[in-house]
Each structure stands twice: as structure tokens, then as C-alpha cells.
Amino acid sequence: MTAPQADPALQALLLPVADGTLAWPRDGALFLRARDGWPLHERPLPGLVCEQGFRPDALALERSGFDVREPDESKYPLVLVLPPRQRDEARALFAEALARLQPGGIVVASAANDAGAKSHEADLARIAGPLVSRSKHKCRVFWTQPGATGGDAALAAQWRTLDASRPIAGGRFTSRPGVFAWDRIDAASALLAEHLPADLRGHAADLGAGWGYLSMELLRRCPGITALDLFEAEARALELAQVNLAPFAQRAELEFHWHDVTTGLAQRFDAIVTNPPFHAQGNAARPDIGRRFIAVAAEALKPGGRLWLVANRHLPYESVLDASFGSARLVAQRDGFKVVEAVKAAHAAGHGTR
């Protein structure tokens, strides 16, 4: 594991196990929305199975030797949950946790006080009955009581589908709660799409593709694009992109990659579009992620290749654009966003094309 980082919600989540309030089951446990951190390494946790759809977190868990699996219907005596901020997604996750319990099993969840901890606790209590809860590290950890009455199984069944895929934008696209800009066309991406030039051509990539809006606009506006690779770290969003891009399958060669862009790209491209993330999973500001996206784009473009980028106007990307590209220009500014085109120097050392 890399150097320890503060993760109060994870620390609170393991507190009932750490102090002996709850015994670690011999048959292991399931950890939904799992992420690595030093609290997982303080004591043996035999049989821990992790499910995580966010690629950087999944890779960190694998590097630490944890068992990371695709979701299935296996049941466990203990299910650990770190609920997300989006409430429908969190409610669906609580219902999923209950459905994955063995008879007499326990669900333990934790959230920061400023990330909706009390609301999350109330939601779990609605479907599971009275909970035990504690406050620690500016978080709340709460867990179910086997055999407790007062839960609502019918409501839990309804909640399990709250994050299901559904039409948005008048039926033009498919999305689901919990992914970025899940119920709308993101204003920044729309601004970039509006300014995409029709002469982009060849093999293109969309970095941080989300549910696929920019990729669809790129193919719709740029007839010279013959192949398009979508890179997205969130598996739930990438699945949606595959659905949304299906009508374009005959229009261009499409590839979908569950990938952390910050680790670099092996392919080379003629054009790249991106609306890079600038927040971590915990919602902390991380402009370094966007800067890394730009540097990776520069590495992945062929000489003369073009990057089309949209970002919040205040984000300090100019230095990395100047350092990474032969030229960059501000194309448009509106509603707090900026669109930039950057061109890879034509005399740059070439790489093999795919």
C-alpha cells in the first residue's frame, strides 16, 4: 500500500470491528464501494471480498492484495458499505447490501457528517429496522441488528432499482443516478460540443467519457472520424456509454476502456476531446487530475494531433498546456467555462501508430 492517507469514513466503518463490538466472521465479508486505506491493514480481515466500479480504487485494492470481484448474487454474514453522496444511488446500495446478507447477517455503513451521514442512517433504518450507531472522526458508523423488527422489505425491493438505467433528455440518452451529470447534458460538455470543428478526422479518443455525450457529438459533427476510443474510470458510466453509442457502431470503429487515464495511454490518436474531472471521489478539489489528463493527451496525440478541452475558467491549466503542446488557443468562454484547442507540435518525435 502507498503512504497512508486520512480516510475518516473508512476508519469509522472499521471501528466496531477494531474495538471488538462486532466479531469478524469466519466466512469473510463483502465490502461495497470498497476503497483501500490503512484501517484495512491494521488487522487480518480473512475472506474480505471487495466490489468497486471506480478503476483507481479497484486498482489500489488489488495492489494491496485484496480480492476485487465483479458484482454477483453471493451472500455474506457481514456487508460493509461506504454510501455515495447521491441519495438514490445510496438507497439502492443499502438495499443491495441487505439483499446480499446471509440470514442473521449484519450491514455496517459509515459516512462523514458533512456527507449526509444522518440521512444515510435514517434511510438504512427505514428498510432494515432500528440500528446501532456511533459518532467518531466527524463521521457516523451505523449497523443493523439481526432479527430487528420495523424494517420494510417491500420498500427495500423498490429501492434496489432506484439507480437503474433510464431515459433522460426527452429520451435521447440513457443514464442512471450516481454518474456525473446523470440527469442532464453537462453545460461544459455542451459548450465544447458546440465548438467542435467539423474537420477533426482519423482515430479519436474521449478521455473521461462518462455516459458518452461528447463521443456522440464528436461522431455526429465530425464525419472524418473513423475510429473512437472511450476511456472512463467509472464502470457504471462506461456501461451507459456502450448503450448510448450503440447507434454509431456502423458509423465508426468503437472501443470502450475501463481505464484510469492518469496512468497513461498505450494508443496514439489524431484527435482527443475531454472534459476532465477535477474532483476526487470524496468531492475534494483535485485540479492535478485535470492537469494530468492534459499531459497524457499530449503524450497520446500524434504529431500535429489536436486536443479539444473544456474546463472551469478558473482552473490553472495554462502552464501544462504551454509545456505539453506546440500551441494552444482559447476558443470560447461562457458561463464560467473555457474551451481550448491545443495542437501537438508537428516536429515532435513520432510514435508507432496503431
Side-chain angles (χ1 to χ4, degrees):
M1 189 179 68
T2 57
Q5 296 184 357
D7 192 337
L10 179 60
Q11 190 174 357
L13 182 70
L14 273 295
L15 184 63
V17 174
D19 66 12
T21 301
L22 297 176
W24 187 260
R26 289 179 298 176
D27 294 336
L30 174 65
F31 190 177
L32 299 177
R33 293 293 193 279
R35 56 179 181 253
D36 196 14
W38 65 261
L40 291 182
H41 299 261
E42 284 196 309
R43 64 195 52 79
L45 301 174
L48 179 64
V49 172
C50 301
E51 291 184 7
Q52 174 56 262
F54 185 58
R55 186 64 170 163
D57 286 344
L59 289 174
L61 289 161
E62 290 176 349
R63 285 194 297 268
S64 287
F66 291 106
D67 183 0
V68 182
R69 300 184 190 176
E70 296 288 328
D72 58 29
E73 296 298 320
S74 301
K75 296 182 183 294
Y76 298 82
L78 175 66
V79 178
L80 306 172
V81 183
L82 289 174
R85 286 176 176 266
Q86 209 286 331
R87 197 164 190 184
D88 282 347
E89 183 190 9
R91 284 177 164 177
L93 193 65
F94 285 141
E96 176 69 12
L98 290 177
R100 302 288 295 277
L101 275 184
Q102 293 177 0
I106 296 173
V107 172
V108 182
S110 172
N113 293 336
D114 61 1
K118 287 188 176 180
S119 295
H120 288 317
E121 182 178 356
D123 281 345
L124 182 57
R126 286 183 66 186
I127 59 174
L131 308 176
V132 180
S133 67
R134 294 170 59 182
S135 296
K136 191 75 171 180
H137 311 302
K138 297 183 179 180
C139 300
R140 295 181 73 83
V141 55
F142 41 95
W143 59 93
T144 61
Q145 302 179 65
T149 60
D152 190 333
L155 183 62
Q158 294 177 21
W159 281 8
R160 202 175 180 194
T161 63
L162 281 179
D163 69 339
S165 301
R166 67 202 65 183
I168 65 165
R172 294 170 57 199
F173 314 109
T174 298
S175 188
R176 65 189 301 184
V179 302
F180 174 70
W182 82 268
D183 58 350
R184 65 194 184 279
I185 298 171
D186 171 61
S189 295
L191 181 64
L192 176 55
E194 178 184 328
H195 288 87
L196 286 175
D199 64 346
L200 293 176
R201 59 191 311 106
H203 193 170
D206 183 352
L207 309 188
W211 50 260
Y213 170 75
L214 268 180
S215 289
M216 288 182 281
E217 288 298 299
L218 181 68
L219 292 173
R220 189 171 70 84
R221 296 168 184 263
C222 305
I225 298 296
T226 57
L228 175 61
D229 284 40
L230 290 79
F231 297 88
E232 172 55 44
E234 177 51 61
R236 299 167 78 250
L238 190 64
E239 291 169 0
L240 295 165
Q242 291 176 292
V243 173
N244 287 318
L245 271 291
F248 296 89
Q250 302 304 315
R251 154 74 176 79
E253 180 183 349
L254 302 175
E255 296 287 345
F256 299 87
H257 307 270
W258 184 43
H259 184 71
D260 177 6
V261 169
T262 66
T263 63
L265 303 176
Q267 299 95 321
R268 295 293 174 260
F269 301 99
D270 300 294
I272 291 176
V273 297
T274 185
N275 177 4
F278 59 95
H279 287 94
Q281 285 291 86
N283 217 37
R286 289 284 306 278
D288 59 298
I289 298 176
R291 289 194 291 268
R292 179 59 182 157
F293 266 56
I294 294 169
V296 167
E299 295 167 359
L301 281 168
K302 300 172 186 177
R306 299 154 72 184
L307 168 68
W308 280 79
L309 161 81
V310 66
N312 284 35
R313 190 163 54 193
H314 72 276
L315 289 171
Y317 291 161
E318 283 69 23
S319 60
V320 68
L321 284 165
D322 290 342
S324 302
F325 287 90
S327 64
R329 67 184 181 96
L330 180 65
V331 176
Q333 293 188 82
R334 191 174 72 211
D335 300 328
F337 303 113
K338 58 188 175 186
V339 173
V340 175
E341 181 193 28
V343 181
K344 180 83 168 276
H347 57 75
H351 296 275
T353 59
R354 190 173 74 167

